[in-house]
Amino acid sequence: MHSSVLSRQGVRQAWATALVLGFPLTSLVTGFGIGLAGFLFLFTACCWWRDCRDVLSAYWPQVRWVLFAFLLHFLYQAWLVAGQGRGANTLDAPGRMALVLSALLVVRVAGPPLAALWLGAAGGALLGAGFVAWQRWMLGLDRPGGLLNPITFGDLSLCLALVALVGLAEARTALQRWSAGIGIAAGLAASLLTGSRGGWLALAAALMLPAWRRGLLPRRLALGAPLLACALASAAWALPQTGVRTRVAEGVRDVRLYLAGSPLPTSIGVRLELWRAGLRLAAEHPWRGQDTPAYKRRMHEWVGVGELSPAVFAPPEPPHLHNDALQALVTRGIPGLLAWLGILVAPFAFFRAQLMNAQAHAQAQAQAQARARTHAHAHAHAHAHAQAQAEAEAEAHARAHMLAPAPEAGTRRAAALAGLLVVLAYAGFGLSEVIFWSMKASVFYALMVALLMGWCLAGGASRAVPCAQRAFHWRPLQPLQRRRKRPQPAAAAIGEGPPQDTQAAPAQAAAAGQPQGGAEQQRQCGRHGG
């Protein structure tokens, strides 16, 4: 029975690992990779619904605000569809984003290695760089973007590069280090080849986090990543074939023409006019907003009376306002803006809390181990029982502070840091682009957040998951009542035997990988045929 359960868990882990690896690997080079990954994670969670339900119940206090944020984002859009007659297609992206959060449950149930995500991110960035390089130099496209919009492709490439950066910090073998390093360079190069400029502003903002807060990344990476980005940008500038020098020159020219009052439809000039119009539109309908056809009719009226530049409708006509916050405010009003902020702020707060807790736990664990070594050295010539008791007390102290073992603490910290970088990058992308306008970019964000949340939960202290109970045909256990402290046996009281430490047994059980009270649970389960 034990071997069958282990094989079942092994199959689950292998399947989840394949999903985790395939998601970023196919995200840039296929038209179906992101959507298929989201569907497979949801399908897997449905197949494992009992275990996923138990995990959700166990970790509900930690994940509820993130789930509420994505659910509110969807429900508010549904209210706009029902109450204002908006198009039902506007529910597609918020609905999919809420559903793919089931990936965090899959990660927690199956326990795939986090290294699979690092490898997938590096491989996906490398494949994406090769794809746009082929489009640029073999097909002659000025703004290659794979199967996506060039801006979206460049932004997702930078996201994969940031994830690979954390993977490089956590690499333990030469192969992992080389693959992560190549992935970082490939993600940056792919973004440069697309000609996307706004994404690099987001990259600078994301890299400020490890540079500002010491200890998040090794010093050589915190300083080396910006230097690598600058070196690649300089090399791309020096090579005319990359088109980077042309894009920079166009940006400078656009600013000069806009400041001179030129009516020419330049890229930056159109964005500035759209933002100016968006602020006026938001002032007219601050609470309920208006849909895209309505606000475009209003903009046509302003163009007709000379209050807005006709460049905003020059072909190709921009489908949105090129700013995520402004788009949410104009189309959904202030409540919609708050709902959009929620899907950024709630994951950011979650990952920040997990990162701070992981660092605090690591420091407390190191102090507990140091105290144990000091105590053992001071009593090196004492009885062997005294040394064992000191070590048990140190372990009990670590367990009392909910300290995870070192590998799990490292996993939790790395996943939290990667999650912070992804959220910061998307917030930066939204300054000059409506990144959530793209279905693939929206699902990519929600799926990446969900996966990283799952590893944050897997790294922390957790309740016993009842899936093992069902695998061994155990009945569901009732919560154990706190056991009263038993009196010492008479033999121990008069010194006829070693004293019984009331904290040693739980600590030893915790050291063996069992939760406190595990012996009592096994005795209860044994009566049910375990």
Side-chain angles (χ1 to χ4, degrees), residues 299-530:
M299 289 170 60
H300 274 290
E301 295 176 3
W302 292 338
V303 170
V305 296
E307 297 179 359
L308 186 65
S309 173
V312 296
F313 293 110
E317 181 179 330
H320 47 67
L321 298 175
H322 277 282
N323 183 278
D324 255 322
L326 195 57
Q327 184 76 20
L329 180 60
V330 170
T331 58
R332 286 167 278 174
I334 294 177
L337 174 63
L338 296 178
W340 169 80
L341 284 173
I343 64 175
L344 293 173
V345 174
F348 181 87
F350 173 86
F351 289 125
R352 181 179 180 274
Q354 294 294 325
L355 182 61
M356 294 178 65
N357 290 339
Q359 290 180 323
H361 290 175
Q363 294 175 0
Q365 186 179 24
Q367 294 173 1
Q369 292 175 352
R371 282 195 296 269
R373 288 192 298 267
T374 303
H375 188 77
H377 180 73
H379 300 275
H381 303 288
H383 195 267
H385 170 72
Q387 182 177 1
Q389 182 179 2
E391 294 176 355
E393 290 177 354
E395 185 66 24
H397 173 80
R399 183 60 58 180
H401 287 78
M402 298 178 65
L403 302 180
E408 293 187 359
T411 297
R412 183 180 181 184
R413 178 181 173 277
L417 177 58
L420 280 177
L421 293 179
V422 169
V423 174
L424 286 175
Y426 261 74
F429 297 154
L431 296 178
S432 60
E433 173 70 0
V434 183
I435 187 66
F436 288 104
W437 184 270
S438 167
M439 175 68 67
K440 292 182 174 62
S442 300
V443 177
F444 181 95
Y445 171 77
L447 196 50
M448 189 65 74
V449 165
L451 292 174
L452 294 170
M453 285 179 62
W455 277 298
C456 287
L457 298 176
S462 65
R463 305 178 188 178
V465 179
C467 61
Q469 301 171 6
R470 287 191 299 275
F472 289 102
H473 302 285
W474 295 349
R475 295 181 182 178
L477 300 178
Q478 299 296 329
L480 298 177
Q481 300 294 332
R482 181 175 297 178
R483 300 174 60 187
R484 296 182 178 179
K485 187 175 181 180
R486 296 181 178 178
Q488 296 289 344
I494 62 176
E496 296 181 1
Q500 301 296 324
D501 186 5
T502 59
Q503 297 181 354
Q508 293 172 0
Q514 299 178 356
Q516 297 184 13
E520 179 66 21
Q521 291 182 359
Q522 292 179 5
R523 286 195 294 272
Q524 292 187 14
C525 295
R527 291 195 294 269
H528 298 300

Side-chain angles (χ1 to χ4, degrees), residues 100-371:
V100 299
L101 292 180
S102 56
L104 74 90
L105 305 177
V106 174
V107 169
R108 189 61 188 98
V109 168
L114 183 54
L117 184 65
W118 308 144
L119 181 61
L126 182 60
L127 291 176
F131 195 7
V132 291
W134 174 72
Q135 287 183 323
R136 171 71 185 178
W137 292 315
M138 300 301 293
L139 301 183
L141 298 181
D142 292 334
R143 297 286 309 277
L147 303 176
L148 303 170
N149 177 278
I151 299 177
T152 304
F153 190 99
D155 291 346
L156 296 187
S157 299
L158 290 179
C159 262
L160 293 179
L162 290 173
V163 174
L165 175 63
V166 183
L168 179 59
E170 297 298 316
R172 296 294 179 265
T173 65
L175 178 61
Q176 292 175 344
R177 287 189 290 270
W178 275 102
S179 61
I182 293 174
I184 296 170
L188 297 176
S191 178
L192 285 171
L193 289 174
T194 62
S196 176
R197 298 169 297 201
W200 282 71
L201 298 177
L203 177 66
L207 291 179
M208 286 178 62
L209 177 64
W212 171 67
R213 189 175 180 86
R214 295 181 180 179
L216 296 183
L217 286 177
R219 185 175 180 82
R220 63 181 183 275
L221 287 183
L223 297 178
L227 292 178
L228 176 62
C230 293
L232 286 176
S234 300
W237 167 273
L239 295 175
Q241 293 84 356
T242 62
V244 172
R245 182 182 300 181
T246 302
R247 289 290 294 165
V248 174
E250 288 177 357
V252 174
R253 185 200 63 188
D254 291 352
V255 172
R256 290 177 177 174
L257 290 175
Y258 182 79
L259 294 178
S262 174
L264 293 177
T266 62
S267 175
I268 294 180
V270 168
R271 278 177 168 81
L272 294 175
E273 281 294 296
L274 286 172
W275 296 345
R276 186 167 69 90
L279 293 176
R280 291 185 62 182
L281 291 167
E284 290 184 350
H285 300 277
W287 293 105
R288 299 185 62 183
Q290 50 190 326
D291 59 10
T292 301
Y295 81 67
K296 286 197 171 185
R297 286 194 298 268
R298 186 63 173 147
M299 289 170 60
H300 274 290
E301 295 176 3
W302 292 338
V303 170
V305 296
E307 297 179 359
L308 186 65
S309 173
V312 296
F313 293 110
E317 181 179 330
H320 47 67
L321 298 175
H322 277 282
N323 183 278
D324 255 322
L326 195 57
Q327 184 76 20
L329 180 60
V330 170
T331 58
R332 286 167 278 174
I334 294 177
L337 174 63
L338 296 178
W340 169 80
L341 284 173
I343 64 175
L344 293 173
V345 174
F348 181 87
F350 173 86
F351 289 125
R352 181 179 180 274
Q354 294 294 325
L355 182 61
M356 294 178 65
N357 290 339
Q359 290 180 323
H361 290 175
Q363 294 175 0
Q365 186 179 24
Q367 294 173 1
Q369 292 175 352
R371 282 195 296 269

Side-chain angles (χ1 to χ4, degrees), residues 42 67 70-71 73-74 92-102 446:
L42 177 61
L67 300 183
F70 280 87
L71 182 61
H73 183 244
F74 167 73
D92 200 4
R96 293 193 189 190
M97 293 173 69
L99 290 175
V100 299
L101 292 180
S102 56

